[in-house]
Amino acid sequence: SMKRKVAIVNVLCLDESHESDSGTFMEYYKSCIKQAKQVQMGIVSLELNHVSLSGNELGHQAYDIDQVLLLNHSAYIFLRQCPLSLPNRVFSTHNTNDHPQSDLFGYIKELYRDNVVVLPNSDIIEYKIYCWSLTQYDMVLYMDLDMYVKDFNDILDIFTQCGTDSAVRLNPDQIVASTESTWCDMFNTGLFMIVPTQKKYLELLKFARETKSIDAKDQGLLNQYFNPYFHDSGTGKKPLMSNGIRESSSWVRLSYCYN
C-alpha cells in the first residue's frame, strides 16, 4: 500500500505589539527546538523499527512524515538578527560544522529540513488556518509548542485511529481534537488533525474574516466552524451558523489525554 504523506506542524510567531519581549519569544523558540527534536527522534526510531521488522506487517510505517514550521515575518526578522552563538550552550548537541549557519533562522531551518514557511504578520487564527493550505499532504497534525512528546506512538495513534484510513475515514469537513478542559462542549485547538484542501482553506479564511470569534482567538473560531454544538443553539431559533456548507462540518473527539 502507498504511504500516506503527513505533516506535523508548529507555529512560531512574534507578536508585533510585544516585539520588545524577546525573552518570552526565546522561550518559545527553545520549546520549538525541543519539540522538533522529540518528534525527530520518534521518526528516526520508527524508521529503525521498520528496518528491523521489515519481514512483518508494520502498519505504523504507512506514513511519510514531514515536520513543518510556520513563522510570521516578525519572528523571521528577529531570528535572522540573532547570531547562532547566542544559544550554543543550550543547543550544544547540534553539529554546525557540516552546515554552518550564521543565525537562529538558519539553525531552525536546518532542523526542519527546509520545511519552513514565512507568513505575513497577521494573527494566530490565520496562521493556524494556513494548515488547510498544505495540500501536498494527506493529513496535517498541528501541535502547540508547549506540548511534550513523551511517546511518539501516541502521535502515530492519532493518524492510525482517526485518519483517512481509519474507521473514522477522516474527511475535509472534519477536525480531530481533544475536549477543552474548561468547557467540555468545546474542543481544544492546541492539537488538531485535519485533511487539507484548498477549498476548505479559502472557506475558513472567508469565515474568519466575516465572523467574530467567541474568544477572539482561533479556538473559538474553529469551534464555531466545525463544532456541531455551535451549529444549533437548541432554542428552536436558527442555528448559530446558517451557512449550509458548514452543516456537514464535525468534530471527531480525541482522547482527553491529548489535552
Side-chain angles (χ1 to χ4, degrees), residues 39-249:
V39 169
Q40 230 167 59
M41 283 172 67
I43 294 170
V44 169
S45 66
L46 186 69
E47 287 165 355
L48 290 174
N49 264 346
H50 183 61
V51 170
S52 62
L53 300 171
S54 53
N56 303 334
E57 183 59 42
L58 197 69
H60 277 347
Q61 193 53 28
Y63 304 107
D64 181 6
I65 306 168
D66 275 353
Q67 291 172 276
V68 177
L69 178 65
L70 308 180
L71 277 181
N72 73 337
H73 192 254
S74 290
Y76 166 72
I77 295 297
F78 180 85
L79 293 174
R80 288 299 305 268
Q81 292 169 349
C82 293
L84 190 60
S85 56
L86 184 68
N88 267 355
R89 294 182 307 282
V90 185
F91 311 129
S92 56
T93 54
H94 185 76
N95 179 11
T96 54
N97 298 332
D98 299 337
H99 307 281
Q101 301 291 355
S102 59
D103 56 46
L104 294 191
F105 174 72
Y107 177 88
I108 208 162
K109 189 166 179 272
E110 186 185 320
L111 187 63
Y112 279 82
R113 300 184 183 180
D114 291 341
N115 293 320
V116 176
V117 181
V118 180
L119 298 173
N121 285 343
S122 181
D123 55 47
I124 189 65
I125 292 175
E126 294 214 355
Y127 304 147
K128 287 198 182 182
I129 287 174
Y130 190 82
C131 290
W132 276 265
S133 77
L134 299 170
T135 55
Q136 65 271 44
Y137 299 104
D138 297 305
M139 290 175 279
V140 168
L141 178 71
Y142 168 82
M143 289 174 66
D144 268 355
L145 295 177
D146 59 1
M147 300 197 82
Y148 177 75
V149 183
K150 191 176 177 185
D151 184 350
F152 191 67
N153 285 314
D154 293 337
I155 302 296
L156 288 172
D157 285 347
I158 303 173
F159 291 118
T160 55
Q161 293 173 19
C162 302
T164 48
D165 300 314
S166 70
V168 170
R169 296 250 175 258
L170 190 67
N171 67 63
D173 288 319
Q174 295 172 309
I175 189 167
V176 177
S178 183
T179 305
E180 168 58 38
S181 54
T182 52
W183 189 10
C184 60
D185 290 319
M186 282 182 80
F187 56 79
N188 185 315
T189 55
L191 179 147
F192 62 81
M193 183 171 72
I194 53 104
V195 174
T197 67
Q198 187 67 10
K199 179 174 178 281
K200 188 60 67 180
Y201 171 59
L202 295 174
E203 236 172 68
L204 279 163
L205 273 184
K206 183 171 186 283
F207 182 71
R209 285 160 189 168
E210 294 174 356
T211 311
K212 187 174 171 57
S213 169
I214 54 166
D215 65 355
K217 297 189 181 82
D218 60 282
Q219 184 158 294
L221 193 94
L222 290 174
N223 270 277
Q224 283 161 270
Y225 187 94
F226 285 100
N227 190 341
Y229 179 86
F230 289 90
H231 299 183
D232 183 5
S233 57
T235 58
K237 295 176 187 173
K238 274 189 169 181
L240 292 179
M241 299 168 56
S242 55
N243 192 327
I245 52 170
R246 286 185 297 276
E247 293 305 311
S248 60
S249 297

